[in-house]
Amino acid sequence: MWENFPAIKDDLAESYAVMEKKVRIRNKEVETTIHDLLHSGGKLLRPAYFILFSRFGSATKKKHKKLIYTAASLEILHMATLIHDDIIDDSPTRRGTPTVQAKYGKDIAVYTGDFLFTVYFDLIADSTDSFSTIKLNAFTMKRILIGELDQMHLRYNTDVTLRQYLRRVTGKTAQLFSLSCFEGAQMGKADLKVITSSHHIGHNIGIAFQILDDILDYTENSEVLKKPVLEDVKQGVYSLPLILAMRGHQKEFAPYLKNGAAMSQEDVTMVLSLIDKYQGVEEAKNLAERYTNKALKGINHLPEQPEKQLLLALTKQLLNRNY
Amino acid sequence: MWENFPAIKDDLAESYAVMEKKVRIRNKEVETTIHDLLHSGGKLLRPAYFILFSRFGSATKKKHKKLIYTAASLEILHMATLIHDDIIDDSPTRRGTPTVQAKYGKDIAVYTGDFLFTVYFDLIADSTDSFSTIKLNAFTMKRILIGELDQMHLRYNTDVTLRQYLRRVTGKTAQLFSLSCFEGAQMGKADLKVITSSHHIGHNIGIAFQILDDILDYTENSEVLKKPVLEDVKQGVYSLPLILAMRGHQKEFAPYLKNGAAMSQEDVTMVLSLIDKYQGVEEAKNLAERYTNKALKGINHLPEQPEKQLLLALTKQLLNRNY
């Protein structure tokens, strides 16, 4: 996806090379797991935002290596949390692809995640220039985790509120986008104004990104069934379209919302038609659009320079998806 | 166990208080899990060695808070790795106590471990004065993990060598004892000679400690069966007494070494009698003693001051166990 962004292609390739080098380990299964993940899921979105924001400052030349390492650290942290989430979900597949634990067992999944945490830690130690950055990273890691715990805690809860959803999504996804943008602006030594707004821009991108990702569970066709699969819903993870549609109508939904395998294809059909009736997907899209617009507005206020256009292009490409 | 060590009781209590404060989290299950762990297993051995070694330098007064935080970080890292190990072992109990995953499920076990990693990371950021300390911590974390992976990789392997065992134990246990002693000497600004030997002393203590812990699997009476339980052996984790007894006699052992539940009480009895025949436990004790003596010799070479006697007393108490 980076062909349209030649200005950052080299930096991303360098970060990717650092990642590949740092994840080498004398254990075939862990190495294969990470290798697969790097080659399939690795869209390097977080490193890309980091690099673009770093260019708003003047410090990019002499700090080149540190910037590359930090960019890599962001993707590694993202990968580590993804792997551990799959253990919790206990799901054999995620969006059609087998999860690490389904392929290699949960032992490997636990240790691969842990190993990536150590790689992350190591990259941070190599790249930061201040202890406050380390504190910020520790804080972000903790917030991500609390987001995951909230999600677990609220499973199968039909009363989950929009507010609870947003808090969970903030932790789970927006924190890391925030950190990516903020660390970029800060390490690049951008103006204070850019540093401050980078944080909000990242937050809004992250929220919109997660809402759109959650919507897929209600709209994307599984190759086998040719129907939305409600994978998350079956796991008890009720996300925005369902939450919005259920408001005031919990009793209508309740009979069809069952635990995992107990939910039949008929239940799925009923839930989808109820979401349709109460326009859950449309309303979720509207909210995603509001966050997208906030993000774009923030980017529009950044100083005029080529990276601003790239940020606009990237964010539009990412968030104006076709459903 | 710290009544005999009034000189470090206060510092340990302070570290404990820091741990209690830092592990607070808005999730009942995770909090209870950590609370249980803190109140049952938390012997604070690693913080104790850290504090004792820090006293060999002159910097303890003005760095008091940082020392306390580092002491806490060592115990937290230890707890995090313990919890994730139990997931791998898939064992309902460890030495008679239910594991976290047995009590609360593996979801909570994964996240509790992850949460403790973030607490650890946060404590390090608050306490260190150099990036090299952070690098060293990242390195130690990685070595611990590789030790665990080695252990997993060698499961049910009857050809596991003494060398492989020692490498695994070095990663799994000795690294963290090493780090505790070394970080203490370094942060306290002890003489270079003390700093260097602190690392070896910690290593030897760690190896002896783990050998003795492994021996328990072959000697300790389970309350129910009144017999050694071979918990680890059933999980395929063949430790020193078995490894030493099996050398050259793999064929004799093989028929009785089965996977988990498949191993009957008769198999257990046979394996124990074979270990007895080839003096596996005695030889393992001899090796533990050699490491203990190396540690004590190292401590004996430290400068004369009260902490030297405390280190001797603590190490003897820890490693001269009754079987």
Side-chain angles (χ1 to χ4, degrees):
Chain A
M1 72 177 282
W2 300 111
E3 308 81 53
N4 303 328
F5 299 90
I8 57 169
K9 255 181 88 175
D10 288 353
D11 281 2
L12 285 177
E14 269 189 71
S15 302
Y16 193 80
V18 167
M19 289 166 67
E20 281 196 311
K21 194 179 116 200
K22 289 281 179 177
V23 298
R24 271 182 212 146
I25 180 171
R26 202 187 51 214
N27 180 291
K28 203 83 217 121
E29 289 140 317
V30 172
E31 198 157 53
T32 312
T33 300
I34 296 174
H35 193 265
D36 291 357
L37 210 66
L38 265 179
H39 287 82
S40 66
K43 275 184 292 192
L44 302 179
L45 281 173
R46 293 146 192 89
Y49 276 106
F50 169 82
I51 290 165
L52 285 170
F53 269 97
S54 76
R55 303 268 176 88
F56 283 87
S58 53
T60 51
K61 279 270 156 57
K62 66 178 185 202
K63 278 202 195 173
H64 181 70
K65 193 194 148 194
K66 289 188 173 191
L67 289 167
I68 295 299
Y69 272 59
T70 306
S73 79
L74 295 162
E75 188 74 10
I76 293 282
L77 177 57
H78 171 56
M79 286 166 63
T81 56
L82 270 190
I83 291 179
H84 279 185
D85 290 352
D86 281 344
I87 303 173
I88 311 305
D89 290 349
D90 220 345
S91 188
T93 58
R94 173 168 293 263
R95 309 255 177 270
T97 316
T99 57
V100 174
Q101 65 156 351
K103 248 167 125 175
Y104 303 100
K106 67 183 157 55
D107 314 24
I108 292 292
V110 171
Y111 282 145
T112 304
D114 287 359
F115 174 63
L116 289 174
F117 279 133
T118 74
V119 174
Y120 163 66
F121 198 16
D122 189 48
L123 285 167
I124 297 287
D126 263 340
S127 64
T128 188
D129 26 24
S130 78
F131 287 103
S132 70
T133 306
I134 296 187
K135 287 289 287 178
L136 183 65
N137 271 276
F139 173 80
T140 303
M141 221 172 126
K142 202 180 277 190
R143 294 292 318 161
I144 292 173
L145 200 75
I146 290 175
E148 301 290 355
L149 283 166
D150 284 348
Q151 174 168 314
M152 194 172 71
H153 190 71
L154 293 170
R155 269 175 156 193
Y156 298 109
N157 183 340
T158 52
D159 293 324
V160 51
T161 63
L162 175 60
R163 193 197 166 101
Q164 285 171 318
Y165 171 79
L166 287 174
R167 197 173 63 187
R168 165 178 120 195
V169 166
T170 297
K172 212 181 110 151
T173 309
Q175 282 290 344
L176 192 51
F177 276 97
S178 255
L179 178 71
S180 303
C181 298
F182 180 81
E183 259 192 350
Q186 200 186 39
M187 286 185 74
K189 296 207 186 301
D191 287 350
L192 194 60
K193 220 184 118 196
V194 174
I195 295 180
T196 312
S197 68
S198 68
H199 191 267
H200 297 294
I201 293 168
H203 173 81
N204 290 322
I205 292 170
I207 300 276
F209 180 76
Q210 187 58 54
I211 294 176
L212 294 173
D213 198 59
D214 286 343
I215 289 176
L216 293 180
D217 197 42
Y218 304 84
T219 58
E220 205 174 47
N221 290 342
S222 137
E223 275 180 32
V224 185
L225 297 172
K226 304 277 178 207
K227 280 185 190 171
V229 283
L230 298 189
E231 261 180 35
D232 295 341
V233 174
K234 285 178 186 167
Q235 304 284 345
V237 178
Y238 302 157
S239 60
L240 197 58
L242 179 57
I243 292 169
L244 293 176
M246 259 198 302
R247 282 202 289 198
H249 310 107
Q250 281 93 337
K251 282 189 183 156
E252 276 183 76
F253 283 84
Y256 313 108
L257 292 172
K258 294 167 190 160
N259 195 322
M263 203 163 153
S264 68
Q265 191 50 47
E266 286 72 40
D267 294 327
V268 169
T269 308
M270 277 308 296
V271 170
L272 286 170
S273 75
L274 282 169
I275 291 173
D276 196 40
K277 179 177 169 191
Y278 296 115
Q279 302 193 295
V281 172
E282 287 69 23
E283 279 196 45
K285 282 185 192 173
N286 289 341
L287 195 61
E289 207 179 320
R290 273 170 54 195
Y291 280 97
T292 303
N293 289 336
K294 276 205 256 185
L296 294 174
K297 201 172 151 191
I299 297 171
N300 267 319
H301 277 94
L302 293 173
E304 285 305 332
Q305 61 179 70
E307 284 76 16
K308 177 174 171 171
Q309 295 312 315
L310 292 174
L311 277 175
L312 285 172
L314 174 58
T315 306
K316 283 177 184 166
Q317 181 176 327
L318 187 67
L319 302 179
N320 295 338
R321 303 192 192 180
N322 293 318
Y323 300 94
Chain B
M1 71 176 285
W2 300 111
E3 308 80 53
N4 303 328
F5 299 90
I8 58 169
K9 254 181 89 175
D10 287 353
D11 281 2
L12 285 178
E14 268 189 72
S15 302
Y16 194 80
V18 167
M19 288 166 68
E20 281 197 311
K21 195 180 116 200
K22 289 282 180 179
V23 298
R24 271 181 213 147
I25 179 171
R26 202 187 50 215
N27 180 291
K28 203 81 216 120
E29 289 140 316
V30 172
E31 198 158 53
T32 312
T33 300
I34 296 174
H35 193 265
D36 291 357
L37 211 64
L38 265 178
H39 287 82
S40 65
K43 275 184 292 191
L44 303 179
L45 281 173
R46 294 147 190 88
Y49 276 107
F50 169 81
I51 290 165
L52 286 170
F53 269 98
S54 76
R55 303 268 178 88
F56 283 87
S58 53
T60 51
K61 278 271 156 56
K62 65 177 186 205
K63 278 202 196 172
H64 182 70
K65 194 194 147 194
K66 288 188 173 192
L67 289 168
I68 296 298
Y69 273 59
T70 306
S73 79
L74 295 162
E75 188 74 10
I76 294 281
L77 177 57
H78 170 56
M79 286 167 64
T81 55
L82 270 190
I83 292 179
H84 279 185
D85 290 353
D86 281 343
I87 303 174
I88 310 306
D89 290 348
D90 221 345
S91 188
T93 58
R94 172 169 295 262
R95 309 256 176 269
T97 317
T99 57
V100 174
Q101 65 156 350
K103 248 168 126 176
Y104 303 101
K106 67 181 158 55
D107 313 24
I108 292 294
V110 171
Y111 282 145
T112 303
D114 287 359
F115 173 63
L116 289 174
F117 279 134
T118 75
V119 174
Y120 163 66
F121 198 16
D122 189 47
L123 285 167
I124 297 287
D126 263 340
S127 64
T128 189
D129 26 24
S130 77
F131 287 103
S132 70
T133 307
I134 297 189
K135 287 290 286 179
L136 182 65
N137 270 276
F139 173 81
T140 303
M141 220 172 127
K142 202 179 277 190
R143 293 293 319 163
I144 293 173
L145 200 76
I146 290 175
E148 301 290 355
L149 282 166
D150 284 348
Q151 175 169 314
M152 193 172 72
H153 190 69
L154 293 171
R155 270 175 154 193
Y156 298 110
N157 183 339
T158 52
D159 293 324
V160 52
T161 64
L162 175 60
R163 192 197 167 101
Q164 285 171 318
Y165 172 79
L166 287 174
R167 196 172 65 187
R168 166 177 117 194
V169 166
T170 298
K172 212 181 111 148
T173 308
Q175 281 291 341
L176 191 51
F177 275 98
S178 253
L179 178 72
S180 302
C181 298
F182 179 81
E183 259 193 348
Q186 199 186 39
M187 286 185 75
K189 297 208 185 300
D191 287 350
L192 194 59
K193 219 183 119 197
V194 175
I195 296 180
T196 313
S197 68
S198 68
H199 190 267
H200 297 294
I201 293 168
H203 173 81
N204 291 322
I205 292 170
I207 300 276
F209 180 77
Q210 187 58 53
I211 294 176
L212 294 173
D213 197 59
D214 285 343
I215 289 176
L216 292 180
D217 197 42
Y218 303 84
T219 58
E220 205 174 48
N221 290 343
S222 138
E223 276 180 32
V224 185
L225 296 172
K226 304 276 178 206
K227 283 187 187 168
V229 284
L230 297 190
E231 262 181 34
D232 294 343
V233 174
K234 286 178 185 166
Q235 304 284 344
V237 178
Y238 302 157
S239 59
L240 196 57
L242 179 57
I243 292 169
L244 292 175
M246 259 198 304
R247 281 202 289 197
H249 311 107
Q250 280 93 336
K251 282 190 184 155
E252 275 184 77
F253 284 82
Y256 313 107
L257 292 171
K258 294 166 191 163
N259 194 323
M263 203 162 154
S264 69
Q265 191 49 48
E266 286 72 41
D267 294 327
V268 169
T269 308
M270 278 308 297
V271 170
L272 286 170
S273 74
L274 283 169
I275 290 173
D276 197 39
K277 178 176 170 192
Y278 296 115
Q279 301 191 297
V281 172
E282 287 69 23
E283 280 196 44
K285 281 185 193 173
N286 290 342
L287 194 61
E289 207 178 321
R290 273 171 55 195
Y291 280 97
T292 302
N293 289 336
K294 276 205 255 186
L296 294 174
K297 199 172 154 193
I299 297 171
N300 267 319
H301 278 93
L302 292 173
E304 284 306 334
Q305 62 179 70
E307 284 76 15
K308 177 175 170 171
Q309 294 312 316
L310 292 174
L311 277 174
L312 285 172
L314 174 59
T315 306
K316 283 176 184 166
Q317 181 176 326
L318 187 68
L319 302 179
N320 295 339
R321 302 192 193 181
N322 292 317
Y323 300 94

